[in-house]
Structure formats: C-alpha cells, structure tokens
Amino acid sequence: MDVRTGFTVLFCIIGFTCARKVQFKDCGSTTGKVDSVDIDPCDSTPCQLHKGKSYTVNVTFSSSVDSKTSTAVVHGIIAGVPVPFPVPIEDGCKSGIQCPIQKQITYHYATELPVKSEYPSIKVVVKWELRDDDKHDLFCILFPVEVVN
Ligand SMILES: *[C@@H]1O[C@H](CO)[C@@H](O)[C@H](O)[C@H]1NC(C)=O
C-alpha cells in the first residue's frame, strides 16, 4: 500500500465519506477504453449500496471515436439474467461528458445511482454500458455491488 492509499483508507476509517476505486471487468468496450471506475460514497468491497440513498458512479474513459451522442444502458445481472435497470439520466452528454465526444480525449462520466427502498437485498453484478452514435460501446463494464438495508 502506498502512502496515498494509506491516507485514503485512514480517511475512510475515521468516517469521512469517500469514493472508492472499484474493481471492474471490461465486457467489451469497443470504441473507448476505461481507465478507472469509482463509486461515491463506498467504503467496502464490493460497495454496499444502502436502500433509500443515492450514489455517484464515475467512469474515467478515453474515446477512440468521435461521437455526437452517448447513451447509458444499465443492467443488473441477477442469477445470470440481465435485468434492465433504469437510471434517471440516460444521456451521457448530461452526465459530465462534454459532447461532441472527440477521439483521444479522456472523459469523466459521472451520474447518480439512486437505490430505491423496494429493491431486494442482494448481491448483484452491475453491467454499465455507454453507447456512441453507432450503438457501439464506448465502455462496457461489470462490477459487483451489494444492496443492503
Ligand atoms: C471522477 O473521477 C476522476 C478521477 O478519479 C476525478 O478527477 C473527477 O473529479 C471525478 N468526477 C466526479 C464528478 O466525481
């Protein structure tokens, strides 16, 4: 653990809210490349998402294409089956990305993930895609979360 990570961990233990870099799997980003994913607040692995709270999902990626639009498509994979998961804002261009998207530029896509109280308490793998004009994935990532009371 380097000094910076040490301080971050300490900061979280003391009880400040902090973002955590999330371990993710790439599920076929074709027109972009993901650099990092973080969820705020999150202080465990996998991140525990409390019902009734809202979280920020922040994906840092670079694009290899120009695209006027970007659209988020989110699923929760429950028992192997992808279930569509509505996010309040599907438009990536309204989620921290300055559109049009340009080649070779790094973007921070950041959006709210509200966790409704009617969700079941389960561990779920989230599949988050951001599609370009041609419906290709600028990114496609998988990361585990745990919905808790
Ligand atoms: C997203 O994460 C990046 C890199 O960790 C950071 O520079 C940026 O400020 C974050 N954006 C938001 C909205 O949290």
PDB file of all heavy atoms in Angstrom, residues 116-143:
ATOM      1  N   LYS A 116     -33.466   2.412  -4.687  1.00  0.00           N
ATOM      2  CA  LYS A 116     -34.830   2.517  -4.169  1.00  0.00           C
ATOM      3  C   LYS A 116     -35.057   1.560  -3.010  1.00  0.00           C
ATOM      4  O   LYS A 116     -34.445   0.496  -2.943  1.00  0.00           O
ATOM      5  CB  LYS A 116     -35.819   2.199  -5.295  1.00  0.00           C
ATOM      6  CG  LYS A 116     -35.665   3.139  -6.468  1.00  0.00           C
ATOM      7  CD  LYS A 116     -36.952   3.280  -7.250  1.00  0.00           C
ATOM      8  CE  LYS A 116     -36.822   4.356  -8.306  1.00  0.00           C
ATOM      9  NZ  LYS A 116     -36.748   3.817  -9.656  1.00  0.00           N
ATOM     10  N   SER A 117     -35.956   1.954  -2.108  1.00  0.00           N
ATOM     11  CA  SER A 117     -36.174   1.118  -0.922  1.00  0.00           C
ATOM     12  C   SER A 117     -36.869  -0.197  -1.255  1.00  0.00           C
ATOM     13  O   SER A 117     -36.790  -1.151  -0.504  1.00  0.00           O
ATOM     14  CB  SER A 117     -36.930   1.889   0.147  1.00  0.00           C
ATOM     15  OG  SER A 117     -37.895   2.704  -0.437  1.00  0.00           O
ATOM     16  N   GLU A 118     -37.520  -0.267  -2.434  1.00  0.00           N
ATOM     17  CA  GLU A 118     -38.196  -1.531  -2.781  1.00  0.00           C
ATOM     18  C   GLU A 118     -37.253  -2.552  -3.414  1.00  0.00           C
ATOM     19  O   GLU A 118     -37.668  -3.673  -3.698  1.00  0.00           O
ATOM     20  CB  GLU A 118     -39.410  -1.280  -3.687  1.00  0.00           C
ATOM     21  CG  GLU A 118     -39.125  -0.625  -5.002  1.00  0.00           C
ATOM     22  CD  GLU A 118     -39.372   0.882  -4.980  1.00  0.00           C
ATOM     23  OE1 GLU A 118     -39.212   1.516  -3.904  1.00  0.00           O
ATOM     24  OE2 GLU A 118     -39.715   1.433  -6.044  1.00  0.00           O
ATOM     25  N   TYR A 119     -36.014  -2.190  -3.643  1.00  0.00           N
ATOM     26  CA  TYR A 119     -35.074  -3.166  -4.205  1.00  0.00           C
ATOM     27  C   TYR A 119     -34.839  -4.291  -3.209  1.00  0.00           C
ATOM     28  O   TYR A 119     -34.824  -4.069  -2.001  1.00  0.00           O
ATOM     29  CB  TYR A 119     -33.727  -2.510  -4.531  1.00  0.00           C
ATOM     30  CG  TYR A 119     -33.738  -1.556  -5.707  1.00  0.00           C
ATOM     31  CD1 TYR A 119     -32.654  -0.715  -5.939  1.00  0.00           C
ATOM     32  CD2 TYR A 119     -34.807  -1.495  -6.588  1.00  0.00           C
ATOM     33  CE1 TYR A 119     -32.650   0.169  -7.008  1.00  0.00           C
ATOM     34  CE2 TYR A 119     -34.804  -0.604  -7.654  1.00  0.00           C
ATOM     35  CZ  TYR A 119     -33.726   0.223  -7.858  1.00  0.00           C
ATOM     36  OH  TYR A 119     -33.725   1.089  -8.901  1.00  0.00           O
ATOM     37  N   PRO A 120     -34.614  -5.506  -3.736  1.00  0.00           N
ATOM     38  CA  PRO A 120     -34.297  -6.610  -2.817  1.00  0.00           C
ATOM     39  C   PRO A 120     -32.867  -6.476  -2.281  1.00  0.00           C
ATOM     40  O   PRO A 120     -32.023  -5.845  -2.917  1.00  0.00           O
ATOM     41  CB  PRO A 120     -34.421  -7.849  -3.713  1.00  0.00           C
ATOM     42  CG  PRO A 120     -34.213  -7.349  -5.110  1.00  0.00           C
ATOM     43  CD  PRO A 120     -34.682  -5.923  -5.138  1.00  0.00           C
ATOM     44  N   SER A 121     -32.638  -7.067  -1.104  1.00  0.00           N
ATOM     45  CA  SER A 121     -31.279  -7.066  -0.547  1.00  0.00           C
ATOM     46  C   SER A 121     -30.501  -8.217  -1.181  1.00  0.00           C
ATOM     47  O   SER A 121     -30.652  -9.361  -0.782  1.00  0.00           O
ATOM     48  CB  SER A 121     -31.335  -7.275   0.971  1.00  0.00           C
ATOM     49  OG  SER A 121     -32.046  -6.226   1.563  1.00  0.00           O
ATOM     50  N   ILE A 122     -29.719  -7.887  -2.189  1.00  0.00           N
ATOM     51  CA  ILE A 122     -28.975  -8.941  -2.892  1.00  0.00           C
ATOM     52  C   ILE A 122     -27.623  -8.423  -3.336  1.00  0.00           C
ATOM     53  O   ILE A 122     -27.397  -7.215  -3.428  1.00  0.00           O
ATOM     54  CB  ILE A 122     -29.703  -9.429  -4.176  1.00  0.00           C
ATOM     55  CG1 ILE A 122     -30.190  -8.233  -5.009  1.00  0.00           C
ATOM     56  CG2 ILE A 122     -30.825 -10.385  -3.861  1.00  0.00           C
ATOM     57  CD1 ILE A 122     -30.627  -8.599  -6.404  1.00  0.00           C
ATOM     58  N   LYS A 123     -26.749  -9.382  -3.619  1.00  0.00           N
ATOM     59  CA  LYS A 123     -25.503  -9.062  -4.310  1.00  0.00           C
ATOM     60  C   LYS A 123     -25.812  -9.124  -5.786  1.00  0.00           C
ATOM     61  O   LYS A 123     -26.448 -10.075  -6.248  1.00  0.00           O
ATOM     62  CB  LYS A 123     -24.428 -10.087  -3.971  1.00  0.00           C
ATOM     63  CG  LYS A 123     -23.878  -9.904  -2.589  1.00  0.00           C
ATOM     64  CD  LYS A 123     -22.669 -10.771  -2.378  1.00  0.00           C
ATOM     65  CE  LYS A 123     -22.096 -10.473  -1.000  1.00  0.00           C
ATOM     66  NZ  LYS A 123     -21.036 -11.406  -0.625  1.00  0.00           N
ATOM     67  N   VAL A 124     -25.411  -8.126  -6.496  1.00  0.00           N
ATOM     68  CA  VAL A 124     -25.723  -8.098  -7.916  1.00  0.00           C
ATOM     69  C   VAL A 124     -24.523  -7.553  -8.691  1.00  0.00           C
ATOM     70  O   VAL A 124     -23.769  -6.724  -8.168  1.00  0.00           O
ATOM     71  CB  VAL A 124     -27.018  -7.267  -8.147  1.00  0.00           C
ATOM     72  CG1 VAL A 124     -26.867  -5.857  -7.641  1.00  0.00           C
ATOM     73  CG2 VAL A 124     -27.448  -7.265  -9.602  1.00  0.00           C
ATOM     74  N   VAL A 125     -24.353  -8.083  -9.894  1.00  0.00           N
ATOM     75  CA  VAL A 125     -23.309  -7.546 -10.766  1.00  0.00           C
ATOM     76  C   VAL A 125     -23.966  -6.514 -11.675  1.00  0.00           C
ATOM     77  O   VAL A 125     -24.977  -6.792 -12.322  1.00  0.00           O
ATOM     78  CB  VAL A 125     -22.639  -8.659 -11.595  1.00  0.00           C
ATOM     79  CG1 VAL A 125     -21.669  -8.075 -12.619  1.00  0.00           C
ATOM     80  CG2 VAL A 125     -21.907  -9.629 -10.672  1.00  0.00           C
ATOM     81  N   VAL A 126     -23.422  -5.317 -11.662  1.00  0.00           N
ATOM     82  CA  VAL A 126     -23.970  -4.250 -12.488  1.00  0.00           C
ATOM     83  C   VAL A 126     -23.212  -4.223 -13.812  1.00  0.00           C
ATOM     84  O   VAL A 126     -21.986  -4.292 -13.841  1.00  0.00           O
ATOM     85  CB  VAL A 126     -23.827  -2.885 -11.783  1.00  0.00           C
ATOM     86  CG1 VAL A 126     -24.339  -1.758 -12.679  1.00  0.00           C
ATOM     87  CG2 VAL A 126     -24.568  -2.887 -10.455  1.00  0.00           C
ATOM     88  N   LYS A 127     -23.979  -4.183 -14.894  1.00  0.00           N
ATOM     89  CA  LYS A 127     -23.380  -4.045 -16.219  1.00  0.00           C
ATOM     90  C   LYS A 127     -23.735  -2.663 -16.730  1.00  0.00           C
ATOM     91  O   LYS A 127     -24.907  -2.331 -16.876  1.00  0.00           O
ATOM     92  CB  LYS A 127     -23.953  -5.118 -17.159  1.00  0.00           C
ATOM     93  CG  LYS A 127     -23.366  -5.066 -18.556  1.00  0.00           C
ATOM     94  CD  LYS A 127     -23.993  -6.147 -19.423  1.00  0.00           C
ATOM     95  CE  LYS A 127     -23.315  -6.183 -20.789  1.00  0.00           C
ATOM     96  NZ  LYS A 127     -24.055  -7.055 -21.713  1.00  0.00           N
ATOM     97  N   TRP A 128     -22.702  -1.854 -16.916  1.00  0.00           N
ATOM     98  CA  TRP A 128     -22.942  -0.463 -17.304  1.00  0.00           C
ATOM     99  C   TRP A 128     -22.293  -0.211 -18.659  1.00  0.00           C
ATOM    100  O   TRP A 128     -21.092  -0.376 -18.810  1.00  0.00           O
ATOM    101  CB  TRP A 128     -22.326   0.476 -16.256  1.00  0.00           C
ATOM    102  CG  TRP A 128     -22.976   1.819 -16.199  1.00  0.00           C
ATOM    103  CD1 TRP A 128     -23.044   2.743 -17.191  1.00  0.00           C
ATOM    104  CD2 TRP A 128     -23.642   2.396 -15.062  1.00  0.00           C
ATOM    105  NE1 TRP A 128     -23.727   3.852 -16.755  1.00  0.00           N
ATOM    106  CE2 TRP A 128     -24.106   3.666 -15.459  1.00  0.00           C
ATOM    107  CE3 TRP A 128     -23.897   1.945 -13.771  1.00  0.00           C
ATOM    108  CZ2 TRP A 128     -24.786   4.508 -14.590  1.00  0.00           C
ATOM    109  CZ3 TRP A 128     -24.585   2.792 -12.912  1.00  0.00           C
ATOM    110  CH2 TRP A 128     -25.021   4.056 -13.318  1.00  0.00           C
ATOM    111  N   GLU A 129     -23.127   0.161 -19.620  1.00  0.00           N
ATOM    112  CA  GLU A 129     -22.604   0.457 -20.961  1.00  0.00           C
ATOM    113  C   GLU A 129     -22.877   1.915 -21.300  1.00  0.00           C
ATOM    114  O   GLU A 129     -23.865   2.487 -20.858  1.00  0.00           O
ATOM    115  CB  GLU A 129     -23.328  -0.384 -22.021  1.00  0.00           C
ATOM    116  CG  GLU A 129     -23.068  -1.861 -21.951  1.00  0.00           C
ATOM    117  CD  GLU A 129     -24.121  -2.614 -22.758  1.00  0.00           C
ATOM    118  OE1 GLU A 129     -24.002  -2.685 -23.994  1.00  0.00           O
ATOM    119  OE2 GLU A 129     -25.065  -3.129 -22.137  1.00  0.00           O
ATOM    120  N   LEU A 130     -21.980   2.472 -22.091  1.00  0.00           N
ATOM    121  CA  LEU A 130     -22.223   3.797 -22.652  1.00  0.00           C
ATOM    122  C   LEU A 130     -22.030   3.665 -24.158  1.00  0.00           C
ATOM    123  O   LEU A 130     -20.952   3.275 -24.622  1.00  0.00           O
ATOM    124  CB  LEU A 130     -21.254   4.827 -22.062  1.00  0.00           C
ATOM    125  CG  LEU A 130     -21.568   6.275 -22.436  1.00  0.00           C
ATOM    126  CD1 LEU A 130     -22.858   6.768 -21.765  1.00  0.00           C
ATOM    127  CD2 LEU A 130     -20.416   7.198 -22.055  1.00  0.00           C
ATOM    128  N   ARG A 131     -23.119   3.922 -24.902  1.00  0.00           N
ATOM    129  CA  ARG A 131     -23.093   3.695 -26.350  1.00  0.00           C
ATOM    130  C   ARG A 131     -22.887   4.985 -27.135  1.00  0.00           C
ATOM    131  O   ARG A 131     -23.411   6.025 -26.751  1.00  0.00           O
ATOM    132  CB  ARG A 131     -24.403   3.026 -26.772  1.00  0.00           C
ATOM    133  CG  ARG A 131     -24.518   1.652 -26.135  1.00  0.00           C
ATOM    134  CD  ARG A 131     -25.654   0.860 -26.694  1.00  0.00           C
ATOM    135  NE  ARG A 131     -25.652  -0.471 -26.075  1.00  0.00           N
ATOM    136  CZ  ARG A 131     -26.723  -1.254 -25.996  1.00  0.00           C
ATOM    137  NH1 ARG A 131     -27.872  -0.838 -26.490  1.00  0.00           N
ATOM    138  NH2 ARG A 131     -26.630  -2.423 -25.427  1.00  0.00           N
ATOM    139  N   ASP A 132     -22.156   4.843 -28.235  1.00  0.00           N
ATOM    140  CA  ASP A 132     -21.882   6.004 -29.097  1.00  0.00           C
ATOM    141  C   ASP A 132     -22.968   6.121 -30.178  1.00  0.00           C
ATOM    142  O   ASP A 132     -23.958   5.382 -30.153  1.00  0.00           O
ATOM    143  CB  ASP A 132     -20.463   5.907 -29.681  1.00  0.00           C
ATOM    144  CG  ASP A 132     -20.294   4.711 -30.617  1.00  0.00           C
ATOM    145  OD1 ASP A 132     -21.315   4.126 -31.054  1.00  0.00           O
ATOM    146  OD2 ASP A 132     -19.136   4.367 -30.912  1.00  0.00           O
ATOM    147  N   ASP A 133     -22.762   7.025 -31.134  1.00  0.00           N
ATOM    148  CA  ASP A 133     -23.737   7.255 -32.215  1.00  0.00           C
ATOM    149  C   ASP A 133     -24.118   5.970 -32.933  1.00  0.00           C
ATOM    150  O   ASP A 133     -25.264   5.794 -33.351  1.00  0.00           O
ATOM    151  CB  ASP A 133     -23.139   8.201 -33.272  1.00  0.00           C
ATOM    152  CG  ASP A 133     -22.945   9.608 -32.745  1.00  0.00           C
ATOM    153  OD1 ASP A 133     -23.527   9.946 -31.700  1.00  0.00           O
ATOM    154  OD2 ASP A 133     -22.199  10.380 -33.381  1.00  0.00           O
ATOM    155  N   ASP A 134     -23.145   5.084 -33.114  1.00  0.00           N
ATOM    156  CA  ASP A 134     -23.389   3.837 -33.858  1.00  0.00           C
ATOM    157  C   ASP A 134     -23.809   2.687 -32.947  1.00  0.00           C
ATOM    158  O   ASP A 134     -23.784   1.531 -33.358  1.00  0.00           O
ATOM    159  CB  ASP A 134     -22.125   3.435 -34.622  1.00  0.00           C
ATOM    160  CG  ASP A 134     -21.723   4.505 -35.621  1.00  0.00           C
ATOM    161  OD1 ASP A 134     -22.631   5.113 -36.217  1.00  0.00           O
ATOM    162  OD2 ASP A 134     -20.509   4.745 -35.787  1.00  0.00           O
ATOM    163  N   LYS A 135     -24.159   3.003 -31.712  1.00  0.00           N
ATOM    164  CA  LYS A 135     -24.561   1.996 -30.719  1.00  0.00           C
ATOM    165  C   LYS A 135     -23.440   1.023 -30.352  1.00  0.00           C
ATOM    166  O   LYS A 135     -23.674  -0.088 -29.897  1.00  0.00           O
ATOM    167  CB  LYS A 135     -25.818   1.228 -31.181  1.00  0.00           C
ATOM    168  CG  LYS A 135     -27.020   2.123 -31.453  1.00  0.00           C
ATOM    169  CD  LYS A 135     -28.279   1.449 -31.003  1.00  0.00           C
ATOM    170  CE  LYS A 135     -29.494   2.356 -30.833  1.00  0.00           C
ATOM    171  NZ  LYS A 135     -29.522   3.626 -31.539  1.00  0.00           N
ATOM    172  N   HIS A 136     -22.211   1.440 -30.597  1.00  0.00           N
ATOM    173  CA  HIS A 136     -21.070   0.659 -30.112  1.00  0.00           C
ATOM    174  C   HIS A 136     -20.753   1.121 -28.697  1.00  0.00           C
ATOM    175  O   HIS A 136     -21.022   2.269 -28.343  1.00  0.00           O
ATOM    176  CB  HIS A 136     -19.853   0.870 -31.023  1.00  0.00           C
ATOM    177  CG  HIS A 136     -20.054   0.323 -32.400  1.00  0.00           C
ATOM    178  ND1 HIS A 136     -19.575   0.950 -33.529  1.00  0.00           N
ATOM    179  CD2 HIS A 136     -20.697  -0.793 -32.819  1.00  0.00           C
ATOM    180  CE1 HIS A 136     -19.916   0.236 -34.596  1.00  0.00           C
ATOM    181  NE2 HIS A 136     -20.605  -0.819 -34.178  1.00  0.00           N
ATOM    182  N   ASP A 137     -20.156   0.223 -27.939  1.00  0.00           N
ATOM    183  CA  ASP A 137     -19.859   0.571 -26.554  1.00  0.00           C
ATOM    184  C   ASP A 137     -18.581   1.390 -26.420  1.00  0.00           C
ATOM    185  O   ASP A 137     -17.492   0.915 -26.704  1.00  0.00           O
ATOM    186  CB  ASP A 137     -19.714  -0.705 -25.708  1.00  0.00           C
ATOM    187  CG  ASP A 137     -21.064  -1.325 -25.359  1.00  0.00           C
ATOM    188  OD1 ASP A 137     -22.073  -0.586 -25.378  1.00  0.00           O
ATOM    189  OD2 ASP A 137     -21.099  -2.530 -25.057  1.00  0.00           O
ATOM    190  N   LEU A 138     -18.776   2.635 -25.972  1.00  0.00           N
ATOM    191  CA  LEU A 138     -17.607   3.450 -25.592  1.00  0.00           C
ATOM    192  C   LEU A 138     -16.971   2.793 -24.382  1.00  0.00           C
ATOM    193  O   LEU A 138     -15.768   2.761 -24.235  1.00  0.00           O
ATOM    194  CB  LEU A 138     -18.042   4.877 -25.242  1.00  0.00           C
ATOM    195  CG  LEU A 138     -18.398   5.768 -26.426  1.00  0.00           C
ATOM    196  CD1 LEU A 138     -19.262   6.924 -25.981  1.00  0.00           C
ATOM    197  CD2 LEU A 138     -17.128   6.268 -27.100  1.00  0.00           C
ATOM    198  N   PHE A 139     -17.860   2.316 -23.503  1.00  0.00           N
ATOM    199  CA  PHE A 139     -17.373   1.405 -22.476  1.00  0.00           C
ATOM    200  C   PHE A 139     -18.460   0.409 -22.119  1.00  0.00           C
ATOM    201  O   PHE A 139     -19.657   0.666 -22.302  1.00  0.00           O
ATOM    202  CB  PHE A 139     -16.817   2.128 -21.240  1.00  0.00           C
ATOM    203  CG  PHE A 139     -17.796   2.939 -20.429  1.00  0.00           C
ATOM    204  CD1 PHE A 139     -18.779   2.333 -19.652  1.00  0.00           C
ATOM    205  CD2 PHE A 139     -17.695   4.325 -20.404  1.00  0.00           C
ATOM    206  CE1 PHE A 139     -19.647   3.085 -18.870  1.00  0.00           C
ATOM    207  CE2 PHE A 139     -18.570   5.092 -19.637  1.00  0.00           C
ATOM    208  CZ  PHE A 139     -19.545   4.469 -18.865  1.00  0.00           C
ATOM    209  N   CYS A 140     -18.001  -0.723 -21.628  1.00  0.00           N
ATOM    210  CA  CYS A 140     -18.892  -1.751 -21.089  1.00  0.00           C
ATOM    211  C   CYS A 140     -18.138  -2.303 -19.894  1.00  0.00           C
ATOM    212  O   CYS A 140     -17.032  -2.829 -20.035  1.00  0.00           O
ATOM    213  CB  CYS A 140     -19.140  -2.841 -22.121  1.00  0.00           C
ATOM    214  SG  CYS A 140     -20.139  -4.206 -21.459  1.00  0.00           S
ATOM    215  N   ILE A 141     -18.704  -2.119 -18.724  1.00  0.00           N
ATOM    216  CA  ILE A 141     -18.026  -2.582 -17.508  1.00  0.00           C
ATOM    217  C   ILE A 141     -18.980  -3.399 -16.651  1.00  0.00           C
ATOM    218  O   ILE A 141     -20.194  -3.198 -16.681  1.00  0.00           O
ATOM    219  CB  ILE A 141     -17.468  -1.399 -16.671  1.00  0.00           C
ATOM    220  CG1 ILE A 141     -18.544  -0.334 -16.448  1.00  0.00           C
ATOM    221  CG2 ILE A 141     -16.223  -0.813 -17.317  1.00  0.00           C
ATOM    222  CD1 ILE A 141     -18.156   0.756 -15.474  1.00  0.00           C
ATOM    223  N   LEU A 142     -18.377  -4.309 -15.904  1.00  0.00           N
ATOM    224  CA  LEU A 142     -19.119  -5.120 -14.943  1.00  0.00           C
ATOM    225  C   LEU A 142     -18.486  -4.879 -13.582  1.00  0.00           C
ATOM    226  O   LEU A 142     -17.259  -4.911 -13.465  1.00  0.00           O
ATOM    227  CB  LEU A 142     -18.970  -6.607 -15.272  1.00  0.00           C
ATOM    228  CG  LEU A 142     -19.546  -7.133 -16.579  1.00  0.00           C
ATOM    229  CD1 LEU A 142     -19.041  -8.552 -16.833  1.00  0.00           C
ATOM    230  CD2 LEU A 142     -21.061  -7.108 -16.534  1.00  0.00           C
ATOM    231  N   PHE A 143     -19.306  -4.613 -12.575  1.00  0.00           N
ATOM    232  CA  PHE A 143     -18.776  -4.504 -11.210  1.00  0.00           C
ATOM    233  C   PHE A 143     -19.838  -4.977 -10.223  1.00  0.00           C
ATOM    234  O   PHE A 143     -21.019  -4.791 -10.428  1.00  0.00           O
ATOM    235  CB  PHE A 143     -18.293  -3.075 -10.889  1.00  0.00           C
ATOM    236  CG  PHE A 143     -19.330  -1.996 -11.064  1.00  0.00           C
ATOM    237  CD1 PHE A 143     -20.152  -1.626 -10.002  1.00  0.00           C
ATOM    238  CD2 PHE A 143     -19.494  -1.350 -12.280  1.00  0.00           C
ATOM    239  CE1 PHE A 143     -21.113  -0.627 -10.158  1.00  0.00           C
ATOM    240  CE2 PHE A 143     -20.452  -0.356 -12.444  1.00  0.00           C
ATOM    241  CZ  PHE A 143     -21.255   0.002 -11.380  1.00  0.00           C
TER     242      PHE A 143
END
